[in-house]
PDB file of all heavy atoms in Angstrom:
ATOM      1  N   ARG A  52      -2.576 101.402 137.936  1.00  0.00           N
ATOM      2  CA  ARG A  52      -1.825 101.161 139.168  1.00  0.00           C
ATOM      3  C   ARG A  52      -1.197  99.747 139.137  1.00  0.00           C
ATOM      4  O   ARG A  52      -1.896  98.786 138.829  1.00  0.00           O
ATOM      5  CB  ARG A  52      -2.695 101.283 140.402  1.00  0.00           C
ATOM      6  CG  ARG A  52      -1.945 101.241 141.689  1.00  0.00           C
ATOM      7  CD  ARG A  52      -2.881 101.334 142.876  1.00  0.00           C
ATOM      8  NE  ARG A  52      -3.661 102.561 142.833  1.00  0.00           N
ATOM      9  CZ  ARG A  52      -3.195 103.769 143.296  1.00  0.00           C
ATOM     10  NH1 ARG A  52      -1.968 103.817 143.782  1.00  0.00           N
ATOM     11  NH2 ARG A  52      -3.921 104.834 143.123  1.00  0.00           N
ATOM     12  N   GLY A 184      32.589  97.961 109.567  1.00  0.00           N
ATOM     13  CA  GLY A 184      33.536  98.839 110.277  1.00  0.00           C
ATOM     14  C   GLY A 184      34.991  98.644 109.892  1.00  0.00           C
ATOM     15  O   GLY A 184      35.436  97.553 109.647  1.00  0.00           O
ATOM     16  N   ILE A 196      30.307  95.374 122.394  1.00  0.00           N
ATOM     17  CA  ILE A 196      30.137  94.220 121.617  1.00  0.00           C
ATOM     18  C   ILE A 196      30.816  94.547 120.256  1.00  0.00           C
ATOM     19  O   ILE A 196      30.781  95.634 119.766  1.00  0.00           O
ATOM     20  CB  ILE A 196      28.701  93.759 121.410  1.00  0.00           C
ATOM     21  CG1 ILE A 196      27.857  94.823 120.661  1.00  0.00           C
ATOM     22  CG2 ILE A 196      28.073  93.461 122.799  1.00  0.00           C
ATOM     23  CD1 ILE A 196      26.391  94.431 120.341  1.00  0.00           C
ATOM     24  N   ALA A 260      13.193  87.121 115.823  1.00  0.00           N
ATOM     25  CA  ALA A 260      13.654  88.450 116.274  1.00  0.00           C
ATOM     26  C   ALA A 260      12.489  89.316 116.913  1.00  0.00           C
ATOM     27  O   ALA A 260      12.650  89.863 117.966  1.00  0.00           O
ATOM     28  CB  ALA A 260      14.194  89.214 115.059  1.00  0.00           C
ATOM     29  N   VAL A 267      14.849  93.524 112.450  1.00  0.00           N
ATOM     30  CA  VAL A 267      15.779  92.937 111.548  1.00  0.00           C
ATOM     31  C   VAL A 267      16.152  93.973 110.565  1.00  0.00           C
ATOM     32  O   VAL A 267      15.293  94.622 109.870  1.00  0.00           O
ATOM     33  CB  VAL A 267      15.119  91.790 110.802  1.00  0.00           C
ATOM     34  CG1 VAL A 267      16.083  91.170 109.791  1.00  0.00           C
ATOM     35  CG2 VAL A 267      14.681  90.665 111.789  1.00  0.00           C
ATOM     36  N   GLU A 269      17.008  95.469 107.161  1.00  0.00           N
ATOM     37  CA  GLU A 269      16.650  95.026 105.825  1.00  0.00           C
ATOM     38  C   GLU A 269      17.673  95.444 104.703  1.00  0.00           C
ATOM     39  O   GLU A 269      17.658  94.818 103.606  1.00  0.00           O
ATOM     40  CB  GLU A 269      15.269  95.602 105.410  1.00  0.00           C
ATOM     41  CG  GLU A 269      14.204  95.083 106.341  1.00  0.00           C
ATOM     42  CD  GLU A 269      12.822  95.471 105.791  1.00  0.00           C
ATOM     43  OE1 GLU A 269      12.661  95.951 104.710  1.00  0.00           O
ATOM     44  OE2 GLU A 269      11.803  95.394 106.595  1.00  0.00           O
TER      45      GLU A 269
END
Side-chain angles (χ1 to χ4, degrees):
R52 188 181 300 277
I196 63 172
V267 179
E269 297 186 13

